[in-house]
Amino acid sequence: MGVDRAGGRAGRRAVAAGLSRAAAGNSPLRSTRGGRGGATIAVIPAGGAGTRLWPRSRSARPKHVLPLGDRGRPLLRATYDRARAVADEVFVLTEVRQREIIAGVLPEVDASQLILEPSARGTTNAYGLAALTLSERFPDAVMVALPADHVVHGAALVAKAVRTAVAAAASSDNLVTVGLKPTFPSTGLGYIHAPGRLSRGTLRVKRFIEKPNAASARRFVREGGYFWNLAWFSWRLSTFIDELGRHAPRHLAVLRNVVAARQAGDEPAAAEL
C-alpha cells in the first residue's frame, strides 16, 4: 500500500500544494519553527536501483547517484542541497546495503542522519519507519519527503511550493502532497485530482489516479484540476503515525517492533521483523 493510497483513503485529510505559478499562490507562509509545527524535518528516500535506467543504473550505482542533476551533480546531492534550503534537519532514508553508496555522495551525512531500512519493504513501511524514528527525537516536528531521484528546475518556485505544503501540514491534521501542473498528457505518471479554489495556497484532494491511459491523460490536461503526482509529501509526524494506525495497523505494529529492537541494540531482530 503506497502512501498516496493511504492519503486517498483518508480523503478528508488530503490536501495538495500545487507546483505552478497559479497553484503556488502568493499567500504568506507561516513559519514551522516553534509553535504547533515544531521543526521542519526533510526526509530523502534514496532506495531502489532505478531499474528503468538500466544498464546505466545498477544495484551498485542506483539512479539517485548518477550525475543527472544540475551542473552534472548526482541527483541525491542536488536533492540534499535543495532540502537544506527548506528544512531545519535533513535525514536520508535508505537501505542498509546502500549505506556506503550514500556516504560516497554525501560524506557530511553521519550515521545519526541516516534512517536505515533492514531491506526495502515498500513506501508505506519506509515512511512509517522514518516517522516513528524521528518522533522519538522530534515529537512535534513536521516531515517533508523529497525523493532523491528527481531532476528539478526552478529552485525558488520549488522552495515556495514546499514551504506552502509544510505550513499547511504544520497548522492542521492534513496529509499534504505537492502536485505539478501537467504540461502534456503523460501516461507515465500518476495524477492528483484536486479541483476547486485555492485556500492559503492549497487545494482539497478529491482522489489519486494511477498512471492513466492516453485518452484519460489528454482529458486531465484539457479539463484542468489535475496535477502530476510527484510523491512529495508533508505531514506532522504524529498525524502520519495516527493515519498509519487507522489504515494499516499491522504495518504500524511491526514497525514499532523494529524501532524497539533497534533501541535495544538488537539489529538482527529488527532485520527479521
Side-chain angles (χ1 to χ4, degrees), residues 177-268:
T177 183
V178 177
L180 178 63
K181 187 176 181 180
T183 55
F184 66 94
S186 173
T187 58
L189 293 169
Y191 285 73
I192 304 164
H193 187 202
R197 299 175 64 87
L198 282 169
S199 174
R200 299 185 67 81
T202 63
L203 297 158
R204 180 68 57 177
V205 171
K206 186 174 183 180
R207 60 179 176 140
F208 293 91
I209 303 159
E210 295 297 333
K211 298 172 184 177
N213 58 34
S216 294
R218 287 193 294 270
R219 179 171 61 82
F220 297 163
V221 174
R222 183 175 64 251
E223 292 182 357
Y226 292 86
F227 299 84
W228 284 332
N229 188 350
L230 302 178
W232 297 8
F233 302 105
S234 187
W235 43 61
R236 292 166 57 224
L237 293 174
S238 57
T239 296
F240 183 73
I241 293 169
D242 287 347
E243 290 295 302
L244 194 59
R246 184 174 293 111
H247 298 283
R250 287 182 293 180
H251 289 244
L252 181 59
V254 171
L255 290 169
R256 288 193 187 281
N257 289 337
V258 170
V259 172
R262 283 186 163 169
Q263 289 174 338
D266 193 349
E267 190 62 34

Side-chain angles (χ1 to χ4, degrees), residues 44-51 57-59 61-65 76 92-99 101-102 115 117 119-122 126-127 146-149:
I44 301 174
T51 54
S57 176
R58 300 172 181 268
S59 59
R61 189 173 167 80
K63 180 170 62 173
H64 47 270
V65 305
L76 174 59
V92 178
L93 172 62
T94 189
E95 304 165 64
V96 169
R97 67 180 181 85
Q98 290 202 30
R99 188 199 311 247
I101 295 173
I102 301 301
I115 301 172
E117 293 185 272
S119 60
R121 297 181 181 176
Y127 285 151
L146 301 171
D149 59 354

